[in-house]
């Protein structure tokens, strides 16, 4: 064999072995919901070397992430079957309930020991209900709504307000740090959503104050 070919072969073999050796340090993560926020969050997980399998009712959104290295799931059951962590970013309470407790829901297919993290902004009763259902199946449910908007999602500087088991949050922190800068434990299940609602109220009051001040200034 030519010397140059031998060198190239050894280099490729070395790279393969290094990848094989280090791949166990990364997690397989299922990500549900690839809208304006979720697509950036999933992309940041990919950038940090994680094996990400994505699902969205809009298959075009999934295909876009697949072109960037994600695996595309055609059903929630497929996504849930092999994931170590599952993250969702969905529009409304009913969407979250359907995704986790629907006919093809995550809780019916995820294996025991999985940590699921819902970053949607929903009614606090939703994570409280799903946390109880998950516990029956030896699955941990964390509610982790975010603050910062699409810019922070893109730049991985989100703030996560997390409700649920603190020890499970510690296990999930390396995953969350791929997407955000600040991770705050707010207490039991549902308290992440309570903190997010308070945050939104404060933002709304501030915006009203600014608008009234501008109106007064114009007059």
């Amino acid at each position: 064999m030519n010397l140059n070919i031998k060198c190239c072969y050894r280099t490729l073999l070395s790279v393969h072995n290094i990848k094989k050796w280090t791949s166990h340090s990364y997690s397989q993560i299922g990500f549900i919901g690839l809208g304006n926020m979720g697509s950036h969050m999933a992309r940041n997980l990919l950038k940090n070397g994680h094996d990400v399998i994505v699902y969205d009712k809009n298959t075009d959104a999934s295909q876009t992430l697949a072109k960037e290295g994600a695996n595309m799931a055609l059903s929630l059951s497929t996504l849930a079957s092999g994931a170590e962590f599952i993250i969702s970013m969905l529009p409304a309470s009913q969407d979250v309930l359907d995704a986790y407790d629907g006919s093809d829901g995550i809780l019916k297919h995820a294996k025991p020991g999985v940590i699921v993290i819902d970053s949607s902004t929903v009614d606090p009763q939703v994570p409280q209900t799903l946390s109880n259902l998950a516990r029956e199946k030896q699955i941990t449910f964390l509610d982790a709504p975010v603050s910062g908007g699409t810019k922070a999602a893109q730049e991985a500087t989100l703030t996560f307000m997390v409700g649920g088991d603190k020890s499970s949050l510690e296990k999930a922190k390396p995953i969350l740090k791929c997407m955000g800068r600040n991770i705050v434990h707010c207490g039991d299940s549902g308290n992440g959503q309570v903190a997010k609602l308070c945050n939104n109220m404060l933002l709304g009051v501030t915006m009203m104050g600014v608008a009234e001040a501008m109106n007064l200034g114009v007059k």
Side-chain angles (χ1 to χ4, degrees):
M1 186 183 290
N2 181 282
L3 181 60
N4 289 335
I5 295 176
K6 282 184 178 180
C7 290
C8 290
Y9 175 77
R10 287 171 181 167
T11 300
L12 288 170
L13 183 62
S14 175
V15 169
H16 172 75
N17 288 337
I18 290 170
K19 185 177 180 180
K20 185 178 180 182
W21 177 258
T22 59
S23 63
H24 74 280
S25 63
Y26 300 114
S27 300
Q28 185 174 70
I29 302 168
F31 201 105
I32 307 164
L34 303 171
N36 293 331
M37 296 289 289
S39 59
H40 292 305
M41 294 165 70
R43 191 170 285 115
N44 284 326
L45 291 171
L46 286 170
K47 290 177 181 177
N48 279 272
H50 292 290
D51 182 8
V52 183
I53 180 169
V54 297
Y55 174 81
D56 195 288
K57 290 181 179 179
N58 177 6
T59 55
D60 289 343
S62 297
Q63 288 170 354
T64 297
L65 267 293
K67 290 176 184 177
E68 299 179 35
N71 298 304
M72 178 178 169
L74 297 178
S75 67
L76 290 173
S77 56
T78 302
L79 179 143
S81 59
E84 300 169 60
F85 294 87
I86 297 172
I87 302 169
S88 54
M89 175 57 88
L90 297 166
S93 295
Q94 192 59 52
D95 296 306
V96 176
L97 290 169
D98 290 344
Y100 285 96
D101 194 37
S103 58
D104 188 41
I106 292 296
L107 298 183
K108 289 179 173 63
H109 302 286
K111 54 191 178 183
V114 167
I115 297 175
V116 299
I117 305 165
D118 180 48
S119 289
S120 318
T121 298
V122 297
D123 188 316
Q125 291 182 347
V126 171
Q128 290 169 351
T129 298
L130 292 177
S131 178
N132 290 331
L133 293 174
R135 193 179 300 112
E136 294 173 3
K137 299 177 180 293
Q138 298 179 307
I139 296 168
T140 301
F141 188 98
L142 300 175
D143 55 297
V146 300
S147 177
T150 54
K151 188 173 187 294
Q154 186 172 9
E155 297 175 354
T157 57
L158 290 167
T159 292
F160 287 90
M161 293 158 272
V162 186
D165 180 61
K166 191 172 184 179
S167 61
S168 297
L169 172 57
E170 291 302 315
K171 294 177 184 177
K173 268 187 178 180
I175 305 297
L176 297 179
K177 284 181 177 178
C178 296
M179 302 177 287
R181 180 179 294 167
N182 304 304
I183 301 164
V184 183
H185 185 238
C186 300
D188 295 334
S189 292
N191 282 3
Q193 296 295 345
V194 171
K196 178 62 188 290
L197 290 173
C198 292
N199 179 78
N200 285 2
M201 176 184 283
L202 182 60
L203 177 61
V205 170
T206 302
M207 291 173 67
M208 290 171 62
V210 171
E212 288 297 329
M214 288 293 293
N215 185 49
L216 177 63
V218 169
K219 287 181 177 179

